[in-house]
C-alpha cells in the first residue's frame, strides 16, 4: 500500500525543508517537491504540518513482572499509547530472574511482545553470571539482533549486578560489539537508607526520594563510566535524573570516552514535591526509581540535552494502577516502582523544549528519535526521513493544543504524572511500517502490527574503540 | 558531464555503506548499488576506497595583504593546494582596512578570488564601526550570501575590534540572522607583552609565544562568548589553540549557549618547541597567531573534537615565504604571521585522528567538512553525500602513505609545518562541482573553475535563538 | 586601661577553647585559664559567650560622593553601625575623579575619616592613568600603608578602567608588592543594556538587574583574573554575586593562581525578586551593583565560602536614603547605587551560615575577619585572638535573638535589605583598641576613636609570586 | 631540660616572623625577641635558619606484615629516618587480619611501636565487619585516642572493604566523631586487570601500572566520597595520585562536603617511566599502590596542594629491600607493594614546591605538618609554633644542599625513589618533645623516646556536620 504525504515540512535531526514524502511497502520511496501519487495510493494533505521520524522510546517495560505484580500496560496497550503519542518504536527489556537462562527469558519476552502494535526491540538484562550467560550473550548478539545489555546497579538481594558482574559483562559486550547500559544507583546505599527510613518510622512515599538521594545515582553513574573506561567499552546510562550524572557523563566525554546518556520526559518536568502530596495514592503514583528530583536537576538535564551530553529521551514506561501501588501502603519499599509516559513524551518535549527555545525542532528530532537509532545502530532505517528508510513517521501539528489528562490517555492506569499540563504541538498522524497507525485520535493499528527490530552489533563508534584497543596491547619490557 | 564512482564505500558524518555514486552536471544524482552509467559518463573504479564529502576549510587567507606584504599563495595556488589535499571549498576572509567601506573591500576580494580553482566564500571582518558598516552588513547578508562576520580581538592599533564594536556588531548579526566569529586574543595584553619582550632584548621568534601566552587567548575567548551570551547571539571561535578556550566553550555550551569552536590542523600536532629552533628561518616559519603551544593543549583540542566541544578543523592557511618572514629579522613583532596547511589538513587529521582511534571515520568527515557546512548553513548542498547535493567529493585511500614535505607540496613557499610527518590515508581523487579536479597527483582544475558559495542567513540554530529572544522581552512592573 | 573577659570560649579561625582574655593598652596581653585581673581592670563575665576577633568589613563606602549625591552614612555613623554589629575595622575606598591626583584624593578621604569610631583603612581606586598615578602608587604603598588598589570595570564614561589601565596598574601593583582588586562588570555591556532597556520603555528599578545580567559580571571577573595571570599578579575580586564569578575564581585557583574573592552578606541571602516590588521606593532601595540575583547564585556563593573559593564577606555599605534614591524616579540608571549592611553582616552570616551547618564557627571567624586580615596583610594584629594582637574583639552570644529592622538600626537610612529577618546569634560586646565600644545596645565609642590601619606591602603570598617571576625570566635563543 | 633557639625566623602555616623560641619540659614556653635563657638551658644560634613545626607524616607503615613478608623499617629505624628528615610525628596503621579482633591488633601494634624514636599514632583499618568491630571502634575512640579509621577499597580476597562495610563503618565513624579514610582503588578492576595481564604474558613490574590505571583510583575516590556525602560523614583520601582523584575531591568540596585529600612526596615527583627500567630490581623497587603515574598527574597534584583541594603530604613509607621485592620475580602481583620516603619528604617538598614558587614557605608548613594536625584534631599541640604547643620543631636551612641517595639514607633498604635528586633546603636540627633528636647528621634520639599521640574525636568540622544532621531529620507527611 502506498501513502503520499503532500505539502508538509520535513524536519530531520539536522535540517528542515519542504517536501512530499511517498511511502510504499513499508519504506520511504521518494522525497521531493510535487511528487505524483502512484495508482491506489492514499494521499494526505499535510500542509502546515511537520513530517518527522517516528519517535523511538529506548526505555519501556510493558507487562513487566516486578515486585510481586505485573505492569498494567501490556505490549498491546503500551504500544497503542506509544503510537498515539507519535512513537513508532520502543526498546523494552528482557529481565531474567537471577539464575534463569538468558535465552529462556528472551523467548518469554518475545512471546509476550507478539501482540505489539508498534515496532519493538529488547535490551537484555544481565542479572547474574556464569558461563551460560557468557555464551548466551553471543547467541543473542549474533542470532537475535540484540546489541545492548542492561545492568541494574540497584535492587540488592534481587537483580543487582555487583562490580564483578559489571566487569565480566562489560568485557563481554566489548568482545561482541554490543553496548552495556546501566541503571545507575548504588544498591548498598539504597538498601541502607531504606532500612534507616523504616527504622525512623518513615513508611510513606515521602521516604522514597530520601532513600535514593542524588549522590546515590551520581556514584553509580560515575562507577559504571569508570569501569567502562578502564575496559575500553562504550557505555549508555539510562534515566539520568540528577546533575551529578550529567556531570559524570560530561567529564568522561571530555576525556574522549564513548558515553551516552538518556533522560526521561518525567524527570525533565516533574519535581520531588509530588512526594509531599497529602493524598497517598497521588504520592505513590509517582514512586519510581530514580525518584523525581528537586528542580535544579531539571535544569541540568535540559542543559545536558542542549549541549549533547545527553542524547536520548525515554520514559521508563512501567505502568502500575492505584491498586497495585497500594501494595506498599505500610512500607514505601513495597510500592511497585514505575510511572507511564510513552504517550506524552514527545508532546512534553516539544512544549517544554521547542516552545521554550531550549531545543530547535531538529534537536527535538534528534533527542526523541535519531540519536537512539544511531546509538543502538538501527540508523538510518529508523530515526531518519530518507529514501530507503522504514516508513515510521509522525506528522506533527505545531499549533495543536491539548491538556494532558489520565481521563483521555490510552494507558491502562488511573493517573498521569503530567496531569493538567497544557501542551501546544501534537501528533496528528502516526505512520508505522508505512501504514497509518494512529489518525488524529483514532487508533488504526492492530495487535501484532509491530515488527521486531534486529539491531546489528558494531555500531560506528566501535571503529575507534577497536583501534584504541589494538594500539593499547601491552608489551613486556625486555630484561 | 557525468562521472560514476563504482564500488566504493561511502563515508558520511554519520554512517558508512557500500554504494556507487553518480554525478552529473555538478550534482550528485544517484547513490546506490550497481548503478548504471549514463552514456558518455566517465567511470572510475574506487573499490577499496572511501567516498567522502570534499573537505571544507572554513579559515584561509589567500593573497592576504598583511603586515606590509601579501600572502604568497593566491586564490589559484591556494585552492590548487586545497584540491590536492581533498578540500573542495574554502571560506576566506574579506578584511577591510579600518575606515574602508565594507562593500568596497568585499568587491576587491571577489575580484581577487575569481581565479580560484575550488569553491569559495567569504567571512567579512568588522574592523571598525559606523552607520555605513551597520548598513553594509545587511547588504552583504541579503544580497551577497554572507552569513558570518569576523572580529579580531588582537592587533591593537590596526584591525582590533574593541568591546564597543563587538557589542554593536554581534547585535547586528543577531538582527540579520548571521553568526559572529572571533579571533580571540586580548590585544592589550599582546601589545604590552610584545613591548616588554623587546625591552628585555627578546627580539627573535622565541619571544613570539611568550607575547601571547594561553591566558591571552582564553581571556578573549571567554569574553566573546560572554558578550554573545548577554546579547543572545550565536558565536564561532576560530583557531582555538589552548585548553582555556576549549574550557570556555564547553562551559557555555553546558549552559545551553550556541557556541562553536574551530581548531587548526597545525595546533593539533605541532608544539611550541619549534620556536627554540636555532635556525631563525625555521623558527620564523612557525610564527603565526595564536602560536603553537605546549603539548598538553594538543590533548585538550583533540578531546574537544572528540566530545563535540569543537566542531571544525581549519588551517588559517596564510603562506609567507622565507624572504617575507625575514622582514622581522630584528623584531619578532614584524615577522608576518601565518603558516600554510590547506593541502595537508585532511591527511593529518586522518593520520593522527582516525589511525589513533581518537576519531571514527564518520567523525573525521564531520570535523573536516559537514560541521562547517552546517554551522555556516550550506548543508546539505555541501558537506554531504546525498542525492541533490553538490558533487564535491574526495575519494580516499586509507592505505596510501606518504611523507609530508615542502619539496612536494603545491603551496608557493619553501617550508611546511608538518615536514617529515608520515601519513597513511590520502586522497586519490578530488571531485569539485562534478569534475575531477585532482587525480592522484595531477591537477586538472583550472583557474576560475571554483564557484562562489552563497550562504543564506538564519541557520537552523536560529530557531531557538529567536524563541528565546521573544520570550525574554522585558515587561515593566506596574506601579 | 585594662579589660578582662572572664569565662568565655575563644573562637578563632582554626580552633575553639575555653579561656579568659586580658586586654591592656589596646593589645591582648594574656589568654589563659583563670587569669588574674590587674589593678583597676574592668572585668566582664562572658560565660557562655564566644570571644572572637572583631569583624573586618573589607568593602565599605562611607560618605561617598557618587552619582550626584553623597552616601548618607558618614565615617561616624557608618562605623557606629559597624561596632553595633561586631565589626571593629573597615576598609573603605579612596576614589579619585579621573584626572584628580591620587594623593589629593587620598588626603581628602583621610580628612573625612578622622571622625571614625572604628578602625579603618583605604583601598585606593585607579580611575585613570598617567605618570603621576604610577608615581603616587609608590608613595601610597611606601609611605601611607596602602597595599591594595581598586579598579572599576564598569561605569563607562565615568570611573571605568579599560584594559590598558588594568594592565598598567596590575603591573605596577606587582612591582610594589600590592594587590589589585576589581569591581567586575563589563562596562560596555552595561552601557549597551541600559540604553536598550530605556529605549524599550523600561525605566524602573526592575530594569536594573536586566541591564547587568550574570554574564556581565562573569566576563569581567574572568578577564581581570586572566590579566592578572598573564602578568603574574595576585588579584582580589570584590562583591562576587554570581556562580560565574565563583567558577572563574575556582578555575584559576585550580591552576595555582593567587586569586581571592569576596561576597556580600546581601548577595548571600537576598534575591532579585526585590526588583519586582510594586512599591518603587522598596525596589529602588535594593538598587546596587552588581544587583541581587536569582536564588541559585546564593547557593554558589555559600559553596564558594565553604570550599574556600571565596575568602571574605563584606557589605559594600553605601547607604542612600529614600529621597536620594528618588533621583532616579524616571530613569533607573540615575538611582544612586548602594545598600547598607555593615551592622547586620555578622549576624546574617551566623544565622544563615553557622546555624544552618554551612559554616563552622571557626569558618565564620575566617570569613568575617581573619581572611581579610591575611589577604590585606594585617594579620595577626587584626583578625586574631593571640597575645600581642590588637584588642579588637567581639563577644558573641550564640543564643541571643532579634528581628532585623530599619526601625532599630544605626544607619542613617529608612530601609534595610534584611528587614524582618530573624537572627539567633548576636554581638553583646564590641571591643575596639582595647576599649568597650559597644555594650549590648549602648554605643560607647566616640567620633575619632577609630585608628587608621597601616597595611604593609608584600603579603606572604608574594613569596611564591616573586619566585615564579624570577624563574620565568625569558632567555633569547642563541643563533 | 630547656632549649633556646636564638635568632631564627619562625615560619608557621600562616606567617613568618623573627623570634627566639624557648622550649622546656617538652613544650614551647616562650616565643619572642631576645628571650633570656633559663639557667642550664641549651642555647642554639639559629640565625639565618627557619624554625618550623616538626613534620607530621600521616601515612606510614613501619614493620608492616604484608604480602608474606614484613616491611624492612621497623618503628625504630623508620622513626629515625623521619627525624633525620625533620618529621617528628607519624601516623601509622593498625591493620587487623579479616576476622581478627580490632583490640587485639591494636595492642599488637602498640607493642611493636614502643621502640619508636619519634611520636606516633595509629589509624585503625576496618577490614571486616561484625558487632565486635562496631563495639571496638567505640572503645578505640573513647579510650585509646583513635579518631580515624582506614578502609582499603583494593586488595580483593584479602583486606578489601566492600560497599556494605564502607556504609556500616562510615556510619559508625559519624556516630563516634571519627573520620573515615580510604585507600581508593577499585579492587574488582585491579583483580581483573592483574589476571588479564598475567594471561597476556605480562609478568614484570611494567604490568603493575597497567593493572591499576588512573580510572581505577578515580572510581574508588568518587565512590568513597559519594558514600560519605550520602551519610553525612567526613572523608579523607590517602595517597591521591591522579588528576581524577583531585577532580573528585574538588567536585565534592565545591558542594560544601568535608573531604580531605593526601598526596605522597613520591607521586609528586616520580613518574611511571620507572617501570620501564630494564633493571628488574630498579623497576620492582618502585612497585607500590597506587603506582607512579604519567607526568600530567603530577601537575594535578601540585595544583591540588596549591588550591587547597589536597591538604596533606605523606609517604606511605613501607620499605622492602631488594630481596623482598624479588618474591615477585615471576609474577608482578607478588612483588611486595611499597616504597620509602619518610626521610626525604620535607626536603623534596621544599625543593620542588617552595624553590619553584609553587608553594610559599607557609604553605609548605601547612602541607607537611599543620593541616594533618588540624584534620586529625591534634592541633595546636602539634603542627604549630605557639606557646603551650608540644616542642616538636625542625630548624631548616634554606640554603643547605645535598644529593639524595640510598648510600646516605637512614632507611634499611638499598634503593631510594628520589635517588640523585639535588635538593636545596634541609633540616639542620630536629627537636622532638623538647629534645634535640637529630643534630645535623647525628641521631641523638633513642628507641622509645617517641610518645604515643592521643587524638580526640569531634574535630572542629564536626560542628557543621552535626548541625546538618540535626536539620536533616526526616518528617513523615501527615495523611
Amino acid at each position: 500500500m502506498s501513502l503520499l504525504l503532500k505539502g508538509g515540512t520535513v524536519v530531520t535531526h539536522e535540517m528542515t525543508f519542504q517536501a512530499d514524502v511517498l511511502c510504499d511497502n513499508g519504506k520511504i520511496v521518494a522525497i521531493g517537491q510535487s511528487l505524483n501519487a502512484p495508482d491506489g495510493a492514499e494521499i494526505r494533505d499535510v500542509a502546515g504540518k511537520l513530517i518527522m521520524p517516528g519517535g523511538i522510546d529506548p526505555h519501556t517495560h510493558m507487562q513487566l513482572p516486578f515486585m510481586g505484580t505485573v505492569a498494567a500496560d501490556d505490549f498491546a496497550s503500551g504500544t497503542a499509547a506509544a503510537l498515539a503519542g507519535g512513537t513508532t518504536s520502543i526498546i523494552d527489556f528482557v529481565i531474567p530472574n537471577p539464575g534463569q537462562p538468558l535465552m529462556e527469558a528472551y523467548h518469554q519476552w518475545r512471546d509476550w511482545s507478539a501482540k505489539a502494535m508498534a515496532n519493538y526491540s529488547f535490551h537484555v538484562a544481565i542479572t547474574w553470571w556464569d558461563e551460560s550467560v557468557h555464551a548466551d550473550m553471543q547467541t543473542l548478539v549474533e542470532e537475535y539482533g540484540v546489541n545492548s545489555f542492561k545492568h541494574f546497579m540497584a535492587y540488592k538481594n534481587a537483580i543487582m549486578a555487583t562490580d564483578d558482574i559489571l566487569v565480566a559483562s562489560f568485557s563481554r559486550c566489548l568482545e561482541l560489539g554490543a553496548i552495556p547500559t546501566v541503571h545507575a544507583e548504588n544498591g548498598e546505599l539504597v538498601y541502607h537508607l531504606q532500612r534507616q527510613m523504616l527504622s525512623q518510622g518513615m513508611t510513606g512515599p515521602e521516604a522514597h526520594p530520601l532513600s535514593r538521594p542524588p549522590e546515590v545515582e551520581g556514584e553509580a553513574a560515575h562507577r559504571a563510566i569508570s569501569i567502562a573506561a578502564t575496559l575500553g567499552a562504550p557505555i549508555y546510562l539510562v534515566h539520568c535524573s540528577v546533575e551529578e550524572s550529567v556531570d559524570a557523563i560530561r567529564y568522561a566525554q571530555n576525556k574522549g570516552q564513548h558515553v551516552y546518556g538518556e533522560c526521561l520526559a518525567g524527570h525533565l518536568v516533574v519535581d520531588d514535591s509530588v512526594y509531599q502530596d497529602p493524598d497517598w495514592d497521588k504520592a505513590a503514583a509517582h514512586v519510581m526509581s530514580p525518584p523525581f528530583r528537586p528542580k535544579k536537576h531539571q535544569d541540568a538535564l535540559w542543559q545536558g540535552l542542549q549541549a549533547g551530553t545527553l542524547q536520548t529521551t525515554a520514559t521508563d514506561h512501567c505502568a502500575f494502577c492505584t491498586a497495585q501501588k497500594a501494595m506498599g501502603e505500610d512500607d514505601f519499599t513495597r510500592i511497585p516502582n514505575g510511572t507511564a509516559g510513552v504517550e506524552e513524551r514527545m508532546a512534553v518535549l516539544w512544549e517544554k523544549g521547542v516552545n521554550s527555545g531550549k531545543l530547535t525542532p531538529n534537536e527535538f528530532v534528534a533527542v526523541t528519535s535519531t540519536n537512539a537509532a544511531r546509538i543502538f545502530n538501527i540508523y538510518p532505517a529508523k530515526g531518519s526521513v530518507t529514501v530507503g528508510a522504514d516508513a515510521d513517521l509522525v506528522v506533527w501539528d505545531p499549533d495543536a493544543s491539548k491538556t494532558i489528562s489520565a481521563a483521555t490517555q490510552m494507558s491502562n492506569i488511573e493517573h498521569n504524572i503530567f496531569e493538567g499540563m497544557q501542551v501546544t504541538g501534537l501528533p496528528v498522524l502516526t505512520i508505522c511500517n508505512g501504514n497509518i497507525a494512529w489518525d488524529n485520535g483514532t487508533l488504526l493499528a492492530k495487535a501484532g502490527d509491530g515488527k521486531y527490530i534486529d539491531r546489528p552489533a558494531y555500531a560506528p563508534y566501535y571503529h575507534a574503540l577497536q583501534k584504541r584497543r589494538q594500539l593499547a596491547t601491552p608489551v613486556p619490557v625486555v630484561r
Side-chain angles (χ1 to χ4, degrees), chain A:
Chain A
M1 202 213 67
S2 290
L3 171 66
L4 179 61
L5 303 175
K6 283 208 70 82
T9 298
V10 174
V11 180
T12 76
H13 68 298
E14 50 188 22
M15 52 187 166
T16 302
F17 55 94
Q18 302 297 318
D20 299 344
V21 176
L22 179 64
C23 308
D24 188 50
N25 201 21
K27 302 282 178 188
I28 296 172
V29 295
I31 299 171
Q33 304 289 330
S34 309
L35 294 183
N36 290 322
D39 287 348
E42 178 170 1
I43 302 175
R44 299 293 289 248
D45 178 357
V46 295
K49 308 291 187 298
L50 312 178
I51 304 169
M52 306 192 288
I56 300 174
D57 187 334
H59 193 154
T60 66
H61 296 286
M62 303 307 171
Q63 71 194 77
L64 178 72
F66 190 52
M67 297 181 75
T69 182
V70 176
D73 277 324
D74 62 16
F75 280 88
S77 71
T79 52
L83 291 167
T87 290
T88 52
S89 298
I90 61 172
I91 314 183
D92 210 278
F93 294 81
V94 172
I95 306 181
N97 289 321
Q100 184 185 22
L102 265 58
M103 295 314 304
E104 178 188 308
Y106 176 79
H107 288 300
Q108 196 173 63
W109 255 269
R110 283 299 298 267
D111 284 351
W112 292 337
S113 60
K115 61 185 166 192
M117 299 188 189
N119 300 325
Y120 59 96
S121 192
F122 290 107
H123 311 282
V124 176
I126 302 302
T127 58
W128 62 294
W129 193 255
D130 77 351
E131 275 311 301
S132 81
V133 174
H134 183 266
D136 285 352
M137 287 175 75
Q138 183 165 8
T139 305
L140 286 163
V141 169
E142 298 183 355
E143 300 176 26
Y144 291 90
V146 170
N147 71 11
S148 54
F149 293 92
K150 168 79 173 285
H151 308 79
F152 292 90
M153 299 171 77
Y155 305 117
K156 177 173 174 170
N157 297 331
I159 54 176
M160 182 166 90
T162 47
D163 282 10
D164 50 344
I165 296 182
L166 298 180
V167 171
S169 177
F170 289 15
S171 297
R172 186 61 173 152
C173 286
L174 185 61
E175 288 167 1
L176 298 170
I179 185 166
T181 80
V182 291
H183 169 136
E185 288 189 302
N186 184 306
E188 289 292 349
L189 280 170
V190 171
Y191 181 83
H192 170 81
L193 294 172
Q194 286 181 332
R195 300 282 83 69
Q196 190 179 72
M197 286 298 138
L198 291 173
S199 77
Q200 293 177 337
M202 296 287 294
T203 60
E206 66 276 17
H208 178 66
L210 300 177
S211 71
R212 313 180 96 100
E215 293 83 1
V216 162
E217 177 181 329
E219 186 288 306
H222 189 276
R223 177 155 42 104
I225 291 169
S226 297
I227 292 173
T230 303
L231 303 173
I235 183 87
Y236 176 94
L237 290 92
V238 308
H239 56 38
C240 297
S241 73
V242 291
E243 185 180 56
E244 285 80 355
S245 294
V246 180
D247 288 346
I249 294 173
R250 176 186 301 137
Y251 184 80
Q253 289 171 338
N254 290 340
K255 289 179 178 286
Q257 194 178 341
H258 289 259
V259 184
Y260 303 98
E262 165 194 295
C263 64
L264 305 185
H267 285 129
L268 283 166
V269 302
V270 179
D271 70 67
D272 64 346
S273 62
V274 295
Y275 300 115
Q276 300 296 318
D277 199 305
D279 179 340
W280 192 96
D281 289 345
K282 284 194 187 158
H286 290 87
V287 169
M288 66 161 302
S289 297
F292 296 105
R293 303 294 191 178
K295 271 185 191 304
K296 74 163 184 168
H297 296 287
Q298 295 175 17
D299 293 339
L301 297 180
W302 281 111
Q303 290 170 354
L305 286 175
Q306 292 178 288
T309 309
L310 304 178
Q311 294 77 31
T312 63
T313 57
T315 59
D316 200 0
H317 188 98
C318 188
F320 293 106
C321 57
T322 303
Q324 291 174 303
K325 292 281 184 180
M327 292 165 64
E329 210 160 18
D330 301 324
D331 176 353
F332 73 95
T333 70
R334 294 173 186 249
I335 302 171
N337 277 218
T339 55
V342 74
E343 183 175 351
E344 298 82 14
R345 180 181 64 119
M346 295 182 79
V348 166
L349 259 291
W350 187 274
E351 171 64 23
K352 300 297 186 185
V354 178
N355 290 343
S356 73
K358 286 192 181 75
L359 302 175
T360 65
N362 309 108
E363 290 167 340
F364 168 85
V365 171
V367 304
T368 58
S369 178
T370 310
N371 289 349
R374 292 180 67 181
I375 293 166
F376 295 112
N377 208 23
I378 49 175
Y379 181 84
K382 303 292 185 197
S384 83
V385 184
T386 51
V387 172
D390 295 342
D392 289 355
L393 298 168
V394 59
V395 177
W396 197 262
D397 182 350
D399 300 319
S401 282
K402 76 167 184 181
T403 300
I404 296 176
S405 172
T408 54
Q409 76 190 2
M410 306 283 292
S411 176
N412 286 335
I413 55 173
E414 309 92 334
H415 39 82
N416 189 309
I417 56 171
F418 307 109
E419 185 72 34
M421 184 187 294
Q422 274 277 134
V423 292
T424 298
L426 288 169
V428 285
L429 210 58
T430 305
I431 296 150
C432 189
N433 301 316
N435 302 311
I436 296 179
W438 187 85
D439 187 352
N440 207 5
T442 308
L443 181 71
L444 302 178
K446 292 184 299 296
D449 279 358
K451 293 187 182 168
Y452 178 74
I453 306 165
D454 268 308
R455 294 181 291 124
Y458 294 104
Y461 44 79
Y462 256 92
H463 190 285
L465 296 174
Q466 288 175 301
K467 274 278 177 197
R468 292 180 199 181
R469 221 177 152 192
Q470 178 187 321
L471 293 168
T473 308
V475 182
V477 172
V478 180
R479 288 194 171 91

